[in-house]
Amino acid sequence: MKTFTTGETAVRRDVHRSGHVWSEQALRVLTDTSEALVTACAPGAQALWPALYAKARADGDRSVRTEAFDAMATGEWELAPGVWQETELLLWKPPGAWFSINAFFTAAGLRNWYVNFEHPTRRTETGFDTFDLTVDLVIDPDLSAWTWKDEG
């Protein structure tokens, strides 16, 4: 199994069951132990996203985002370059887990916790492959409340 060193770039790829890459995101490794791979992402980091998802982000139109998920179901989409914006991300991924724990930070501090339900990671030479299962939990910074995201 590939082990990453602190400061190394690891590429997270969401790979659809068809083998088609859904997204790629460059992450900075903070630590890699038997308990978890911990990475971070700062605004300006390069990414590849489905073109429809990129359009939804650019236009602020969630209906186009829904079209991106429809394309995912068919296994047919095009990727477009993207740039991580707005938040700093801390991602904690235990080996074999069907989730990752994410913390999103803004200049004001911790914005929220986020449980991303996803396939267990498969290590690669350049990072790791997984696949986002779409439904997530968004949790208040103080852990007092949570809501489902994308349950529809």
Side-chain angles (χ1 to χ4, degrees):
M1 173 176 75
K2 166 80 173 168
T3 301
F4 298 99
T5 58
T6 299
E8 188 174 356
T9 297
V11 177
R12 175 204 160 105
R13 296 187 328 154
D14 284 284
V15 181
H16 187 264
R17 68 180 175 272
S18 66
H20 196 160
V21 174
W22 173 255
S23 67
E24 285 187 6
Q25 182 177 19
L27 303 170
R28 184 71 59 208
V29 175
L30 300 180
T31 190
D32 188 8
T33 69
S34 61
E35 293 180 8
L37 173 61
V38 182
T39 58
C41 187
Q46 299 299 303
L48 289 174
W49 293 315
L52 287 169
Y53 180 76
K55 181 174 176 20
R57 285 182 58 96
D59 297 349
D61 182 356
R62 287 191 61 86
S63 67
V64 176
R65 185 171 183 264
T66 302
E67 291 176 41
F69 288 123
D70 292 343
M72 181 199 314
T74 69
E76 297 292 327
W77 59 85
E78 298 297 322
L79 292 177
V83 176
W84 188 259
Q85 300 173 7
E86 300 166 14
T87 61
E88 293 184 17
L89 166 67
L90 179 66
L91 186 152
W92 181 78
K93 178 69 175 185
W98 284 79
F99 64 89
S100 63
I101 304 292
N102 302 265
F104 291 92
F105 295 89
T106 66
L110 179 62
R111 184 185 76 186
N112 62 278
W113 295 98
Y114 193 91
V115 179
N116 195 56
F117 295 103
E118 59 195 36
H119 283 248
T121 56
R122 293 174 309 284
R123 300 284 182 119
T124 68
E125 283 303 309
T126 59
F128 60 95
D129 292 350
T130 186
F131 194 72
D132 191 323
L133 298 173
T134 308
V135 175
D136 307 303
L137 288 176
V138 180
I139 305 166
D140 288 351
D142 65 0
L143 307 177
S144 63
W146 58 271
T147 57
W148 288 106
K149 180 176 181 254
D150 294 324
E151 69 179 313

